Amino acid sequence: MTTERLDPHRQRSLRHGVAGTVPGMLSALTVTGGVAVPPSPGSRVTFGRNRLEVDVCVGEEDVRISRVHGLLVRERDRWWLSNTGRSPIRLSDSVLLHRDSEPLPLADGYTALFLRGTREHVLELLVSDGEAGVATRRPTHPTAPPKRWRLSPEEHLVLAVLGQRYLGYDPHPLPLSRQQVAAELTDRRPHENWTVKRVEHLVSRVRQRLSDAGVHGLRREEVGEPVGLTLTVNLLRELVLSTTLVPMDLEWLELPTPRLPPAEGGRAPAGRAGRSRPAAARVSRARACR
């Protein structure tokens, strides 16, 4: 097998799994691109902001990200993560990996890395178990991929901003207020009319749709008084646990014109999305940022 290049516009997130992999294959993805590397002894993947020096480019215009910020090496049947940069790397389980830390072995499955510069940049990693889905199989049973909810691009944008603390693996996340969401969207999209009322309407619409489809805890009578943030928290948890919202959405928000890709399976705002079937273009020694 050879190294493959991942297209971020087709492979929106590794949280949804990668098709056509073998056990131990490492996939790494950012909004600029990614690679899928076979588990050959001695295989290496570098990442950082200098596209000419690394395999996966992260935070290219952020001078607080090191030119080569980290390294992944295949040794002893595991992938090992090392920090070669100036600032710590935060893992999705809240572990901090410093430059002088011992290399950290990656478990099979999905891991999100957060590189702190002028903001946190997301790098997704997936060590495959040979199945297209992320979850580990039960004995004799095929992997069941998460059932993702279909959102319109507008709904996706609002909910990603609303739940950004959940996507960043904050240890004690809370939703942004509707006022904060409207203000942030106005800053990102100044030519659009973002108001608190519009944000509330979109959030309520999605919550009602999911409740009608059987998701519990999205109605006042289901949670009791005082309601507080409970309905919004339950909505965001469902969207995160179903992988409808993923950490990579934070990176899409930072593009000059935030445009979150539509959920796989179409843009229809009702129902659930089907199973993702991403494709990768085969290249030889391709650089992810080229």
Side-chain angles (χ1 to χ4, degrees):
M1 296 186 67
T2 59
T3 296
E4 296 181 351
R5 185 175 179 178
L6 301 178
D7 181 352
H9 296 282
R10 303 182 68 180
Q11 177 72 56
R12 185 171 69 88
S13 171
L14 299 181
R15 194 68 180 85
H16 303 149
V18 178
T21 60
V22 298
M25 174 172 276
L26 173 70
S27 300
L29 183 70
T30 71
V31 291
T32 61
V35 293
V37 183
S40 305
S43 292
R44 296 163 60 91
V45 176
T46 54
F47 57 90
R49 67 176 166 88
N50 189 339
R51 67 169 63 198
L52 300 178
E53 295 185 54
V54 297
D55 300 297
V56 182
C57 187
V58 186
E60 183 176 12
E61 297 181 357
D62 191 336
V63 294
R64 293 186 180 178
I65 300 297
S66 295
R67 288 184 289 266
V68 181
H69 204 102
L71 169 68
L72 293 142
V73 179
R74 182 72 178 183
E75 293 179 346
R76 304 192 299 278
D77 295 324
R78 302 287 296 274
W79 285 99
W80 298 80
L81 171 66
S82 298
N83 185 343
T84 59
R86 291 179 177 270
S87 60
I89 297 173
R90 182 169 67 88
L91 281 70
S92 48
D93 55 5
S94 298
V95 171
L96 285 178
L97 185 67
H98 296 265
R99 183 167 186 163
D100 56 355
S101 300
E102 291 294 321
L104 184 70
L106 293 181
D108 288 352
Y110 175 87
T111 302
L113 305 184
F114 298 88
L115 282 61
R116 178 171 291 279
T118 54
R119 64 173 180 87
E120 282 197 320
H121 301 266
V122 180
L123 171 63
E124 292 189 325
L125 304 176
L126 177 66
V127 179
S128 176
D129 63 359
E131 292 290 313
V134 174
T136 302
R137 293 177 292 171
R138 293 181 178 181
T140 73
H141 284 229
T143 299
K147 294 181 179 179
R148 299 190 295 281
W149 298 98
R150 291 182 183 176
L151 302 174
S152 71
E154 184 181 53
E155 291 169 345
H156 201 153
L157 176 66
V158 168
L159 289 162
V161 173
L162 178 72
Q164 59 187 263
R165 293 168 181 162
Y166 291 80
L167 301 180
Y169 289 92
D170 188 310
H172 305 289
L174 286 174
L176 268 64
S177 69
R178 304 299 194 265
Q179 291 82 0
Q180 289 173 312
V181 173
E184 184 164 331
L185 288 172
T186 298
D187 183 59
R188 294 178 183 277
R189 296 186 168 193
H191 301 296
E192 299 181 13
N193 182 29
W194 288 102
T195 63
V196 173
K197 185 175 181 179
R198 183 182 178 188
V199 170
E200 178 58 37
H201 171 73
L202 287 166
V203 174
S204 297
R205 186 173 73 188
V206 175
R207 187 174 68 241
Q208 182 67 51
R209 192 163 73 239
L210 269 62
S211 178
D212 291 345
V215 178
H216 183 75
L218 301 182
R219 299 178 185 270
R220 296 182 70 92
E221 59 269 25
E222 294 173 342
V223 301
E225 299 291 342
V227 174
L229 295 173
T230 304
L231 299 181
T232 303
V233 167
N234 290 346
L235 173 63
L236 290 173
R237 284 178 176 169
E238 170 62 25
L239 294 174
V240 171
L241 290 174
S242 66
T243 69
T244 304
L245 297 179
V246 294
M248 190 61 76
D249 289 340
L250 298 174
E251 287 296 295
W252 289 103
L253 287 174
E254 294 298 333
L255 296 180
T257 302
R259 180 181 175 274
L260 291 167
E264 288 83 354
R267 293 192 176 190
R272 290 193 178 210
R275 185 169 179 170
S276 158
R277 296 185 182 275
R282 188 176 298 275
V283 297
S284 175
R285 296 184 181 180
R287 298 293 188 182
C289 295
R290 289 183 179 176

